[in-house]
């Protein structure tokens, strides 16, 4: 690396330097600003659930989170039936569905993607790497509706034939489809993390007599752990918000169950399926925005937690070295 | 870089707002069942009347009605009659009554997989399946197999028609799976031996539409042009255009043409049924 003199931030330099700095800073703040504005918009549309008397007659926090009888006198149940004489908006089945499919997707995607990244970064021939890496990254370019359609038409049939499930469209089918969307993201970020582990680490390990497998597993993987973790958090975020795949492959029945072979209805699929139909300002409309806000908060908390964890790991690694 | 970890996935589908209607663009929005029909009407009409632009989009009857109420479309296509509550919303927003114009007839077909032994079902039986009271094909004379029932999403006019006419406004059972679009339902039924689904007759290819009995003792009727037009087939319905107030100008010209012989001929070509002329 040659010696580069960096201009002090926000000061002096030529006019073009200063302009560039303003533009870059501006775009950074624009990203944050739009994020805040989006959240304010969603929050504002979700708020009437807490404040408006009229909306609360149809949907209040207690009907969202507690079981409700289908008809007067019937056993209270968790149900999602927005188009009904007595509209029922139970969030719990949707919440459990969302978590279920995300966990399944991540369960398949993360080990596969991290192992693939470790392989291409540590073991693969350069030419294998040149083929595999772009191929996996190309997977990210497949529109999710195409993956969803593939799951609906092909994957669901295969899985049903092999396992004999009653429902073709279920959490596992959708989760496997989702993992196809998650793998390239996790892979790309994890591969970068492995590649940026200094070569000296590997050389040192090999010089001490470790095999290349021991080097990869005990030296490179721990050193790249913050990056790998960041990859996992990104993958989780993608899985939880993905819409088209679950809309097409999950069957969209709002059943409260923990079985992975039952049909599921996620937050994102519910919003996508129903938001186009609702009359602006109705209780149903505000409930959908409430779901959106919940999804937003969930993703935000997840990222915050991931960020904190990555930071902690980094500190630990730096302290150790 | 872990510093840039904030991921936002925001899904906003089908914004119905905006009134960027040009001088001569007529917007038509609504029922997915009618979107092919609407497009064919628009194409033929535009071919004959250059200078008029007609934009047809789908999204579901509910979407179209919401757009009409919010002022986002000139004509709303709906495969179900508007509810009084919705008509009231039009009145309070626009100060005019909504105009209901029946434009074609359609039948809702009940499909089973081609290899299913089931030939006909009565309306109460279909209702039993969709409300969760009948869960095994054995009870209907089929194999000992759990019934997998597919439905449309709740923004669809077909969903509302089915709920009102077949379920008598009862709720669908929680186990009923919903899919976006009749085509997706048809595909799913074609792939699933133990399944049942419903949708517009125009879509029924590769699967088998069963005959429907009004009740246990009545005759089983197959959906067809004849049985829908003479009212024998129980699950038939009208398809509507809705406008705010009496249509005028370009909109009126288009509506009149649709109701005329040319427009009605297109109904048949697309797989729906022309209105019965009185």
């Amino acid at each position: 690396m040659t010696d580069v003199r960096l201009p002090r931030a926000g000061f002096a330099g030529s006019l073009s330097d200063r302009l560039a700095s303003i533009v870059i800073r501006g775009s950074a703040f624009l990203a944050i600003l739009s994020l805040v504005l989006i959240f304010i918009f969603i929050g504002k549309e979700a708020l009437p659930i807490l404040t408006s008397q009229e909306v609360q007659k149809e949907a209040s926090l207690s009907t969202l989170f507690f079981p409700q009888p289908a008809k007067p006198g019937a056993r209270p149940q968790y149900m999602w039936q927005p188009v009904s004489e007595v509209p029922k908006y139970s969030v719990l089945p949707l919440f459990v569905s969302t978590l279920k499919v995300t966990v399944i997707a991540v369960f398949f995607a993360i080990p596969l993607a991290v192992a693939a990244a470790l392989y291409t970064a540590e073991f693969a021939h350069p030419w294998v790497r040149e083929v595999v890496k772009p191929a996996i990254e190309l997977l990210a370019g497949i529109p999710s509706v195409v993956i969803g359609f593939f799951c609906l038409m092909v994957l669901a049939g295969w899985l049903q034939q092999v396992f004999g499930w009653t429902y073709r469209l279920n959490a596992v089918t959708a989760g496997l489809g989702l993992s196809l969307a998650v793998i390239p993201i996790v892979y790309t970020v994890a591969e970068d993390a492995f590649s940026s582990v200094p070569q000296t680490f590997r050389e040192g390990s090999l010089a001490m007599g470790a095999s290349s497998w021991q080097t990869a597993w005990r030296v490179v993987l721990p050193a790249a752990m913050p990056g790998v973790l960041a990859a996992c958090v990104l993958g989780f975020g993608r899985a939880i918000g993905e819409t088209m795949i679950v809309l097409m492959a999950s069957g969209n029945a709002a059943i409260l169950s923990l079985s992975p072979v039952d049909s599921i209805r996620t937050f994102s699929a519910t919003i996508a399926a129903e938001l186009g139909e609702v009359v602006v300002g109705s209780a149903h409309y505000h409930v959908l925005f409430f779901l959106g806000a919940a999804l937003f908060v969930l993703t935000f908390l997840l990222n915050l937690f991931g960020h904190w964890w990555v930071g902690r790991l980094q500190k630990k690694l730096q302290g150790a070295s | 870089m872990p510093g840039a970890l904030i991921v936002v996935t925001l899904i906003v589908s089908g914004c119905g707002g905006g009134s960027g209607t040009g001088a001569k663009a007529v917007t038509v929005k609504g029922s997915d069942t009618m979107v092919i029909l609407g497009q064919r009407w628009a194409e033929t009409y535009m071919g004959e009347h250059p200078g008029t632009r007609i934009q047809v989009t789908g999204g579901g009857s509910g979407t179209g009605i919401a757009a009409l109420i919010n002022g986002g479309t000139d004509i709303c296509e709906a495969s179900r009659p508007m509810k009084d509550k919705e008509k009231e919303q039009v009145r309070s927003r626009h100060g005019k009554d909504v105009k209901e114009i029946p434009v074609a007839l359609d039948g809702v077909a009940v499909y089973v997989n081609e290899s299913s032994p089931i030939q006909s079902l009565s309306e109460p039986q279909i209702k039993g399946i969709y409300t969760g009271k009948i869960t095994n094909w054995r009870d209907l004379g089929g194999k000992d197999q759990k019934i997998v029932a597919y439905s449309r999403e709740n923004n669809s006019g077909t969903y509302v028609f089915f709920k009102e006419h077949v379920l008598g406004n009862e709720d669908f059972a929680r186990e009923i799976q919903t899919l976006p679009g009749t085509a997706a339902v048809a595909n799913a039924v074609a792939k699933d031996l133990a399944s049942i689904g419903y949708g517009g007759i125009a879509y029924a290819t590769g699967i088998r539409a069963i005959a429907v009995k009004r009740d246990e003792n009545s005759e089983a009727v197959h959906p067809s042009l004849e049985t829908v037009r003479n009212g024998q087939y129980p699950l038939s319905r009208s398809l509507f255009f809705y406008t705010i107030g009496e249509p005028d100008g370009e909109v009126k010209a288009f509506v009149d043409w649709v109701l005329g012989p040319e427009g009605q001929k297109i109904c048949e070509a697309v797989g729906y049924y022309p209105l019965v002329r009185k």
Side-chain angles (χ1 to χ4, degrees):
Chain A
M1 280 254 265
T2 51
D3 188 36
V4 183
R5 275 200 313 167
L6 296 167
R8 269 168 293 169
F11 181 73
S14 64
L15 184 68
S16 61
D17 275 1
R18 230 180 309 167
L19 256 175
S21 133
I22 290 171
V23 167
I24 291 170
R25 204 176 312 166
S27 46
F29 278 108
L30 207 65
I32 296 176
L33 186 73
S34 50
L35 192 74
V36 170
L37 285 180
I38 287 170
F39 190 69
I40 290 175
F41 169 68
I42 296 177
K44 195 181 97 230
E45 297 295 335
L47 207 60
I49 290 178
L50 303 175
T51 57
S52 159
Q53 295 271 317
E54 203 178 323
V55 171
Q56 280 183 341
K57 260 184 256 165
E58 243 184 70
S60 65
L61 282 184
S62 76
T63 60
L64 288 181
F65 290 102
F66 294 106
Q68 226 189 325
K71 277 176 275 190
R75 195 167 58 87
Q77 276 182 311
Y78 291 104
M79 282 200 292
W80 180 265
Q81 287 278 356
V83 180
S84 170
E85 295 194 329
V86 187
K88 287 166 282 285
Y89 308 97
S90 282
V91 174
L92 206 65
L94 309 186
F95 183 70
V96 171
S97 294
T98 306
L99 282 191
K100 208 159 73 173
V101 74
T102 306
V103 166
I104 291 170
V106 164
F107 176 80
F108 287 111
I110 286 182
L112 218 61
V114 172
L118 195 63
Y119 167 72
T120 41
E122 298 300 314
F123 300 104
H125 247 278
W127 71 263
V128 174
R129 184 166 183 251
E130 287 311 306
V131 175
V132 172
K133 195 166 152 42
I136 294 183
E137 283 166 0
L138 205 66
L139 204 59
I142 299 180
S144 56
V145 65
V146 174
I147 299 180
F149 193 70
F150 168 75
C151 291
L152 172 67
M153 298 300 287
V154 183
L155 184 69
W158 286 348
L159 291 174
Q160 194 186 32
Q161 268 177 7
V162 174
F163 297 103
W165 294 327
T166 312
Y167 299 110
R168 292 173 77 235
L169 305 177
N170 55 44
V172 174
T173 310
L176 282 175
L178 263 189
S179 68
L180 284 179
V182 172
I183 283 172
I185 292 175
V186 179
Y187 171 83
T188 309
V189 180
E191 216 268 347
D192 283 349
F194 290 133
S195 303
S196 56
V197 171
Q199 198 57 32
T200 49
F201 282 31
R202 296 187 185 88
E203 285 161 1
S205 168
L206 292 171
M208 298 292 284
S211 65
S212 53
W213 168 246
Q214 286 167 327
T215 304
W217 188 248
R218 303 252 181 92
V219 177
V220 178
L221 185 64
M225 210 54 203
V228 172
L229 207 64
C232 297
V233 174
L234 272 176
F236 214 89
R238 168 80 203 259
I240 216 165
E242 171 55 50
T243 308
M244 265 337 271
I245 298 174
V246 280
L247 187 62
M248 305 207 55
S250 71
N252 299 314
I255 308 168
L256 183 64
S257 101
L258 290 174
S259 160
V261 293
D262 271 338
S263 174
I264 54 162
R265 187 178 184 91
T266 67
F267 279 173
S268 54
T270 306
I271 297 171
E274 296 174 13
L275 193 61
E277 162 241 10
V278 296
V279 176
V280 176
S282 63
H284 189 185
Y285 173 87
H286 293 301
V287 170
L288 290 180
F289 271 90
F290 180 80
L291 291 187
L295 199 58
F296 193 104
V297 170
L298 210 65
T299 321
F300 188 76
L301 287 180
L302 188 79
N303 282 317
L304 217 60
F305 172 71
H307 194 81
W308 169 80
W309 201 7
V310 167
R312 222 183 63 143
L313 249 164
Q314 253 167 349
K315 239 185 240 158
K316 208 168 124 193
L317 277 176
Q318 276 158 3
S321 66
Chain B
M1 263 213 358
L5 271 186
I6 296 169
V7 182
V8 184
T9 318
L10 177 79
I11 312 105
V12 175
S13 88
C15 292
S19 54
T21 327
K24 282 195 161 184
V26 176
T27 52
V28 182
K29 191 176 175 71
S31 168
D32 277 332
T33 313
M34 291 170 73
V35 74
I36 303 171
L37 181 62
Q39 259 158 8
R40 195 68 65 82
W41 272 331
E43 280 162 20
T44 318
Y45 184 80
M46 282 188 285
E48 290 174 16
H49 302 77
T52 309
R53 264 185 40 239
I54 299 173
Q55 268 178 355
V56 183
T57 46
S61 298
T63 308
I65 290 170
L68 191 74
I69 293 169
N70 299 332
T73 185
D74 297 319
I75 298 174
C76 156
E77 287 185 315
S79 52
R80 64 166 169 89
M82 259 171 106
K83 294 174 195 151
D84 289 339
K85 203 167 97 189
E86 291 161 340
K87 287 182 179 169
E88 185 51 46
Q89 275 168 324
V90 170
R91 209 171 299 136
S92 67
R93 287 251 186 141
H94 302 277
K96 282 187 211 164
D97 277 331
V98 77
K99 170 86 178 162
E100 178 176 287
I101 309 157
V103 288
L105 291 171
D106 182 25
V108 170
V110 177
Y111 317 119
V112 291
N113 189 274
E114 263 178 327
S115 67
S116 168
I118 302 293
Q119 298 298 330
S120 72
L121 290 173
S122 70
E123 271 193 72
Q125 283 173 325
I126 299 170
K127 176 178 173 179
I129 293 172
Y130 277 92
T131 50
K133 292 183 183 76
I134 300 173
T135 56
N136 199 308
W137 283 116
R138 192 184 43 204
D139 301 334
L140 301 168
K143 281 183 238 161
D144 182 8
Q145 235 172 357
K146 207 166 164 53
I147 299 173
V148 180
Y150 292 103
S151 159
R152 292 289 310 278
E153 272 295 346
N154 57 32
N155 66 344
S156 131
T158 319
Y159 172 97
V160 176
F161 173 83
F162 198 80
K163 189 178 164 89
E164 282 172 3
H165 283 73
V166 183
L167 304 193
N169 258 332
E170 278 186 46
D171 285 340
F172 282 85
R174 286 186 303 174
E175 286 72 23
I176 306 302
Q177 308 199 12
T178 62
L179 291 173
T182 301
V185 172
N187 285 332
V189 173
K191 295 279 175 186
D192 200 334
L193 300 183
S195 65
I196 185 167
Y198 66 88
I201 292 173
Y203 283 99
T205 46
I207 43 185
R208 188 156 49 80
I210 56 170
V212 178
K213 294 185 272 193
R214 215 175 278 277
D215 53 49
E216 288 311 319
N217 305 318
S218 51
E219 198 188 341
V221 183
H222 270 284
S224 73
L225 172 63
E226 208 184 328
T227 57
V228 167
R229 283 186 76 166
N230 65 19
Q232 272 184 339
Y233 183 67
L235 306 180
S236 58
R237 61 178 174 180
S238 298
L239 303 176
F240 300 100
F241 273 2
Y242 284 98
T243 56
I244 295 170
E246 287 289 331
D248 53 9
E250 292 284 347
V251 178
K252 182 173 167 32
F254 177 59
V255 171
D256 287 345
W257 179 86
V258 162
L259 294 173
E262 271 185 282
Q264 291 297 304
K265 212 167 78 190
I266 291 173
C267 292
E268 249 173 306
V270 180
Y272 299 100
Y273 310 118
L275 293 171
V276 190
R277 290 267 143 238
K278 281 174 191 145

